[in-house]
Amino acid sequence: MLAVVLQLSGGIGLFLLGMTLLTDSLKALAGDSLRQWLARFTGSSFKAMLSGIGFTLVVQSSTATTLATIGFVSAGVLSFSQAIGIIIGANIGTTSTGWLVAFLGLKFSIANIALPLVALGAMLKLLGRDQLALSGLALAGFALLFMGIDQLQVAMAGFAEQVNLSQWSNDGFATRLILILIGLVMTILLQSSSAAVTATLAALASQAIDLPQAMALVIGQNIGTVATAVLAAVGATTSAKRTAAVHVVFNIVTAIFALFVLMPVMLWLFQHTVLADWDHVVMLAAFHTAFSLMGALLFMPFIPQFQQLIIKLIPEKNQNNTRYLDETLFAVPALAISATEQAIRDSLADYYRMIVKALQGQVLAVMMSNRELDRVLTTVEQYLQKMPVPQAQVDQQHLTTLLRLIMYSKVLRDDFQYLEYVDVLPKYLKPEVLQPLIIHLQSMVLGLKQQPMEKMNSVDLIAWQNLVQQLKQQQPQYRQHIVENSVHAQLNAAEALDAMIAERWLERLLEHSIKIAYLLQHQDEVMS
C-alpha cells in the first residue's frame, strides 16, 4: 500500500509540476498581448464569456484568467459585469483539461515519448533565449504533465486492487455528500482543480471508482476551487473580493443544480440511451463540461442583477489610485506592470486636472499639496520591490518603460511642490497663451485617463512644443509687463519676483510634461 501511495503522490507531483511549467511559460510567451486581447474582446457579457473560455484555453489555467480579470476590473479597463462573464467562461475553459486527459493522457498515452520531449525542452531552455527558451519550458511542462497522468493511472490500478470502495457505490444522498466533501478536500490540498479532476479520471479509467462516484467527486472538486480564490482575496482589493464572491456563488449554485438535476439526468441517459456505449472517462469529461455550461445558462441572463447583488454585499471602500496594486497580479507580470502604470497615470491626471481648475479660477493652487503623489510613488516602489522580474522580453521592455515613467514622475513631483505659482500666472499670461495652455493640460488629463490604457494619442506633441516656444518668445514682454506693474506700485518686489519665477516654472513643467507624453505616446519605439 505504501508503494501505491508513493506512486500516487509522485504522479500528482509530476502533473502539478508540468501544469505549472506549462501555464507559466504560456503566460510569459503571450505577455502583454493577452492583456490587450482580453481588454478588446469583451464588449458584451457573451463576448466576455467567450474571451474567458479562449484565455483559459490558451494559458491552461482558470486561476490566471481570474487574476487577469481582477487586474482589469481594478484598473477600470473592464466593467464588473464583463468580469463576471469572463469568470463564467474561465470555468468552462478549464474543463478542457478533462478532455485532454481523457483522449491523450488515458486513451493515447504519450508517456513513451515524454522523456525525449523533456530533454528537447531542456535543451531549448538552456541553449535558446526569450521565446525559444520559454517554448522549451512549455514543452517540458507538457511532457511532465502526461508522465504524471501515466503514473496516476498505474497507481490507481494498484489502489483498486488493495482497497474495496464498493461501500461508497450506493446511491444514498449521504454517500454522495461524503464524496463531494472528499473532492472538495482534494482540490484544497492539491491547490489545483485540474490535478484533482485528473486523479479522478485516472481512478475511473483504472476502475478504482465507478461513474456516479466520479461525478460526485467532480462536483466537490469544482466547489473546492473557490478556496484558492477566497485565500487570494484575503486582505486584497475590493475587486479581488468581488471576484472571489462571484466564484463562490457561481460554483456553489452550479454544484447544487449539478447534484440534483444534471447528475441524475446524465446517469439516466448513460443507462437508457445510446450514451451507454460511451466510455466512462469520456462521459465524465462531458459531465464536467456540462456542469459549467449549465452554470453559464443559469447565470448569464441575470448578470446585471448578480452584479448589483455582489456590489451591494461588497462595496468599494478604497477609492485611492493605489487600489490597483494587488499582489495577486504578480502571477501575470504584464498585469502587475500595467496596474502600476495606471496608478501613476491616474495620479498625474489628478494633478493636471487641479492645475486646470486653478488656471480657470475654480480653486486656489496654494491650497494644493503633493502629498498624494508622494504616497503613490512610495507605494509603487514598495510594490515593485515584491514583484518578480518577468521572463518575457516584451514584459521586461514594458517594465523598463514603467521605470522611466516613475523617474519622470519624480521630476514632476518636484514641480508640483510649487503649485502656488499657478495662482500667479492668469494675471500676466496673455489670453492667446492661457487658453491653449488650458486646452493642452486638459488633453494631458484625457490621455492619462484613456481607457483601455493604450498609447497617449490625445496629446499633440508638436502643439505642446510650439506652446513652450511661444512662452520663451514672450518672456521679454511678460517680464516687461511685470516691471511696469511694479513701477506703478501695483506689485511689490516680492510679488514681481514670484511672477517671474512662475513663468519659468510653467516652462519647466511643460517641458517635463512633454517627456511623459512622448514616453507614453511612443511606447513601442521606446521598448524596441
Side-chain angles (χ1 to χ4, degrees):
M1 186 63 183
L2 179 61
V4 172
V5 172
L6 291 176
Q7 192 169 27
L8 181 63
S9 302
I12 292 173
L14 281 172
F15 181 88
L16 288 174
L17 179 60
M19 182 63 74
T20 300
L21 282 175
L22 180 63
T23 299
D24 290 349
S25 302
L26 289 174
K27 286 188 297 183
L29 276 170
D32 201 49
S33 59
L34 280 177
R35 177 188 69 84
Q36 297 174 7
W37 174 52
L38 194 59
R40 290 174 182 172
F41 297 100
T42 52
S44 65
S45 295
F46 182 72
K47 287 183 179 179
M49 183 187 72
L50 294 180
S51 293
I53 295 173
F55 191 24
T56 306
L57 288 173
V58 169
V59 300
Q60 281 296 300
S61 171
S62 59
T63 301
T65 305
T66 302
L67 293 176
T69 305
I70 290 172
F72 288 129
V73 174
S74 295
V77 177
L78 294 178
S79 67
F80 186 53
S81 61
Q82 290 172 324
I84 295 173
I86 292 173
I87 292 167
I88 292 173
N91 276 273
I92 298 173
T94 196
T95 63
S96 63
T97 303
W99 293 102
L100 188 69
V101 172
F103 284 105
L104 284 181
L106 299 177
K107 297 301 179 186
F108 173 72
S109 177
I110 64 170
N112 292 331
I113 62 172
L115 283 176
L117 288 178
V118 171
L120 177 60
M123 289 181 63
L124 290 175
K125 169 60 179 174
L126 292 173
L127 302 178
R129 295 181 60 187
D130 301 326
Q131 291 190 338
L132 187 61
L134 289 171
S135 300
L137 281 179
L139 182 62
F142 183 77
L144 287 174
L145 187 149
F146 285 98
M147 287 177 66
I149 293 172
D150 188 65
Q151 290 298 312
L152 278 174
Q153 193 171 9
V154 174
M156 286 299 179
F159 182 77
E161 293 176 359
Q162 300 187 35
V163 179
N164 181 16
L165 296 177
S166 59
Q167 57 181 325
W168 304 105
S169 61
N170 64 74
D171 294 330
F173 182 69
T175 301
R176 289 187 178 176
L177 284 182
I178 292 173
L179 289 169
I180 289 172
L181 181 61
I182 292 173
L184 188 153
V185 172
M186 285 176 67
T187 301
I188 294 176
L189 292 177
L190 297 176
Q191 286 293 293
S192 169
S193 61
S194 295
V197 170
T198 299
T200 302
L201 286 166
L204 182 62
S206 303
Q207 299 182 350
I209 57 176
D210 58 25
L211 184 59
Q213 289 174 321
M215 287 182 172
L217 286 172
V218 167
I219 292 174
Q221 287 156 2
N222 272 267
I223 299 174
T225 59
V226 305
T228 304
V230 170
L231 288 174
V234 174
T237 62
T238 300
S239 297
K241 293 175 182 177
R242 287 176 178 172
T243 305
V246 170
H247 257 294
V248 172
V249 176
F250 178 83
N251 284 30
I252 290 179
V253 171
T254 306
I256 292 172
F257 275 85
L259 176 62
F260 292 104
V261 179
L262 184 62
M263 183 175 172
V265 168
M266 291 199 71
L267 286 174
W268 184 88
L269 290 173
F270 186 71
Q271 294 169 357
H272 299 93
T273 67
V274 293
L275 296 183
D277 296 330
W278 282 29
D279 185 90
H280 284 204
V281 173
V282 175
M283 190 68 179
L284 184 60
F287 173 74
H288 191 199
T289 300
F291 186 143
S292 296
L293 287 174
M294 184 185 66
L297 292 174
L298 288 172
F299 278 86
M300 288 298 289
F302 306 103
I303 280 184
Q305 294 83 352
F306 189 29
Q307 174 188 2
Q308 293 303 317
L309 174 63
I310 298 298
I311 291 175
K312 186 176 181 180
L313 292 174
I314 310 175
E316 179 66 75
K317 296 179 181 180
N318 182 9
Q319 294 292 339
N320 60 50
N321 294 326
T322 54
R323 66 183 182 275
Y324 312 134
L325 306 182
D326 193 328
E327 292 184 18
T328 56
L329 299 182
F330 291 159
V332 188
L335 292 174
I337 295 169
S338 295
T340 308
E341 181 182 323
Q342 190 62 57
I344 296 174
R345 289 173 69 145
D346 283 355
S347 298
L348 293 177
D350 291 341
Y351 278 88
Y352 283 112
R353 188 184 293 111
M354 288 191 298
I355 292 174
V356 169
K357 289 183 177 181
L359 289 172
Q360 293 173 333
Q362 298 178 19
V363 296
L364 290 176
V366 71
M367 300 179 64
M368 301 177 188
S369 168
N370 60 0
R371 285 195 298 269
E372 176 60 19
L373 184 57
D374 284 343
R375 187 193 65 78
V376 170
L377 289 174
T378 300
T379 305
V380 162
E381 288 179 0
Q382 293 172 348
Y383 185 71
L384 292 178
Q385 286 175 358
K386 300 176 184 177
M387 187 176 72
V389 177
Q391 297 183 46
Q393 186 176 10
V394 65
D395 291 339
Q396 293 172 358
Q397 292 170 336
H398 194 179
L399 178 60
T400 301
T401 303
L402 172 63
L403 296 178
R404 291 184 63 180
L405 177 62
I406 295 172
M407 179 184 68
Y408 290 151
S409 299
K410 288 188 174 184
V411 173
L412 271 179
R413 182 261 176 214
D414 294 334
D415 294 335
F416 293 150
Q417 190 173 352
Y418 302 100
L419 284 174
E420 65 269 15
Y421 290 128
V422 178
D423 294 330
V424 179
L425 292 169
K427 301 176 185 177
Y428 305 104
L429 287 179
K430 292 183 178 181
E432 58 266 28
V433 175
L434 181 60
Q435 291 307 315
L437 172 62
I438 292 175
I439 293 172
H440 284 27
L441 291 174
Q442 288 173 334
S443 71
M444 192 74 173
V445 174
L446 291 174
L448 290 166
K449 283 286 191 180
Q450 192 170 325
Q451 296 292 354
M453 189 181 66
E454 300 293 346
K455 295 179 182 179
M456 184 188 287
N457 295 322
S458 62
V459 177
D460 188 339
L461 292 175
I462 296 177
W464 272 82
Q465 291 167 345
N466 290 339
L467 181 61
V468 173
Q469 290 301 319
Q470 190 176 357
L471 280 171
K472 291 180 178 180
Q473 291 170 1
Q474 293 188 2
Q475 270 185 5
Q477 300 175 24
Y478 177 87
R479 293 176 180 177
Q480 181 63 32
H481 180 55
I482 293 172
V483 171
E484 290 175 357
N485 284 339
S486 180
V487 169
H488 292 89
Q490 295 178 359
L491 284 175
N492 58 40
E495 290 172 334
L497 179 62
D498 283 346
M500 290 183 178
I501 295 176
E503 188 273 340
R504 183 67 186 92
W505 171 85
L506 175 61
E507 183 183 321
R508 186 171 63 250
L509 174 71
L510 292 179
E511 288 175 343
H512 295 159
S513 299
I514 289 174
K515 290 182 179 180
I516 284 186
Y518 184 88
L519 177 69
L520 296 177
Q521 195 173 105
H522 298 79
Q523 292 187 53
D524 293 340
E525 296 176 20
V526 172
M527 294 191 306
S528 62

